[in-house]
């Protein structure tokens, strides 16, 4: 129903300063600063639209707005109001109002041509498209609302699921190796005839298997958490700092 839309009204970046124009000493020093270069690279990496990380960051920011807008839309519909009842006195709202008028016209045309449907109802406030009791699992369903429609996130989800399968296989392998090494170590310790080199090898194998299993399990949990971020994450405002 209600969703957050991000608009970029700048068609192209501002023109660069002419090469002959002199820069101030402060500007030249700022451009040469290592911290400025690091900040630029970090911001570019985090905000890169081709990176799934930037999409996940957007979810973290706007998930709360999605819940708020749904509740707001339900209140408006139940009282028979539309966006026109909201005061939008600033010039920054011109684009938003134009977009809402476009949605109204598109919904009206859709209903006239093909009959009522959920998308048109949610825009035109017809019927009962909004449900105030909609579970959070539906309102915050990232897979249905974003991931399956996004080539960047769906590709990253597939890579994470493949990585998770690898970690599961490695986990089983380390568990088997650790068990075998532990049994060999116990047998070696129980027998005085076994050379000390074999005892040391069994001990090293046991420790290595335990550490490897711990490391793989940690990576697996991290990957599962990342997979969940493409499917669903609850949003509780009281828990946000």
């Amino acid at each position: 129903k209600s969703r957050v839309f991000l608009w970029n009204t700048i068609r192209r970046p501002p023109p660069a300063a002419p090469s002959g124009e002199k820069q101030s000493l402060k500007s030249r020093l700022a451009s040469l600063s290592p911290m400025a270069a690091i900040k630029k690279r970090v911001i570019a990496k985090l905000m890169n639209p081709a990176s799934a990380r930037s999409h996940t960051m957007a979810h973290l920011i706007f998930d709360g707005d999605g819940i708020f807008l749904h509740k707001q839309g339900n209140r408006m519909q139940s009282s028979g109001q539309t966006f026109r009842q909201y005061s939008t006195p600033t010039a920054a709202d011109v684009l938003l109002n134009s977009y809402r008028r476009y949605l109204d016209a598109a919904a009206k045309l859709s209903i006239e041509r093909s009959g009522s449907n959920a998308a048109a109802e949610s825009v035109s406030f017809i019927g009962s498209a909004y449900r105030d009791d909609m579970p959070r699992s539906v309102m915050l369903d990232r897979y249905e609302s974003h991931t399956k429609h996004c080539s960047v996130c769906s590709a990253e989800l597939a890579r994470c699921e493949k990585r998770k399968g690898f970690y599961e296989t490695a986990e089983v392998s380390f568990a088997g190796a650790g068990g075998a090494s532990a049994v060999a170590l116990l047998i070696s310790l129980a027998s005085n005839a076994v050379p000390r080199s074999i005892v040391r090898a069994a001990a090293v194998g046991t420790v290595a298997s335990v550490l490897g299993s711990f490391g793989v399990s940690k990576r697996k949990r991290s990957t599962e958490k990342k997979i969940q971020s493409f499917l669903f994450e609850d949003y509780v405002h009281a828990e946000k700092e």
Side-chain angles (χ1 to χ4, degrees):
K1 307 297 187 293
S2 295
R3 302 297 297 173
V4 177
F5 293 91
L6 301 181
W7 290 83
N8 181 10
T9 57
I10 301 176
R11 292 183 179 273
R12 59 178 63 86
S19 57
E21 184 177 336
K22 292 185 178 180
Q23 292 182 324
S24 65
L25 177 62
K26 185 177 180 181
S27 299
R28 292 199 298 270
L29 290 176
S31 63
L32 295 174
S33 169
M35 286 303 299
I38 293 173
K39 288 180 181 179
K40 185 176 180 180
R41 289 176 65 89
V42 169
I43 293 174
K45 188 173 182 180
L46 291 177
M47 298 303 176
N48 181 9
S51 168
R53 181 178 294 142
S54 66
H55 296 218
T56 304
M57 288 181 63
H59 286 311
L60 294 175
I61 296 171
F62 294 113
D63 274 352
D65 290 344
I67 295 176
F68 168 76
L69 290 174
H70 177 79
K71 296 290 184 180
Q72 180 191 47
N74 180 74
R75 178 181 295 181
M76 290 170 63
Q77 186 183 36
S78 62
S79 59
Q81 295 182 343
T82 70
F83 72 96
R84 293 184 177 86
Q85 274 70 49
Y86 278 72
S87 176
T88 54
T90 68
D93 296 312
V94 172
L95 182 61
L96 176 61
N97 288 329
S98 299
Y99 181 66
R100 290 299 316 191
R101 286 194 293 271
Y102 159 75
L103 286 179
D104 281 350
K108 182 179 179 181
L109 185 63
S110 176
I111 293 173
E112 289 176 353
R113 290 187 175 182
S114 58
S116 182
N117 58 69
E121 287 178 3
S122 64
V123 171
S124 60
F125 297 92
I126 298 173
S128 56
Y130 275 90
R131 285 178 49 202
D132 193 40
D133 61 342
M134 180 178 289
R136 302 163 74 87
S137 59
V138 175
M139 282 193 290
L140 297 174
D141 188 338
R142 290 184 182 176
Y143 182 79
E144 291 296 329
S145 65
H146 177 83
T147 303
K148 76 175 185 179
H149 307 289
C150 174
S151 59
V152 174
C153 291
S154 57
E156 184 64 22
L157 175 60
R159 283 192 290 268
C160 288
E161 289 176 338
K162 184 177 180 179
R163 197 177 303 133
K164 178 187 174 184
F166 169 78
Y167 289 143
E168 288 174 343
T169 302
E171 205 172 30
V172 173
S173 300
F174 276 118
S181 298
V183 171
L185 178 61
L186 291 176
I187 294 175
S188 300
L189 292 174
S191 175
N192 294 328
V194 177
R196 294 182 63 85
S197 59
I198 295 180
V199 176
R200 284 195 298 269
V204 170
T206 302
V207 173
S209 297
V210 171
L211 293 177
S213 180
F214 176 78
V216 168
S217 296
K218 186 177 181 180
R219 291 291 186 90
K220 178 186 171 184
R221 288 193 299 270
S222 176
T223 302
E224 288 174 338
K225 184 178 180 181
K226 189 172 183 180
I227 289 174
Q228 190 62 32
S229 70
F230 293 110
L231 305 178
F232 168 81
E233 275 194 10
D234 200 2
Y235 183 96
V236 180
H237 182 74
E239 296 177 356
K240 305 298 178 181
E241 297 180 354

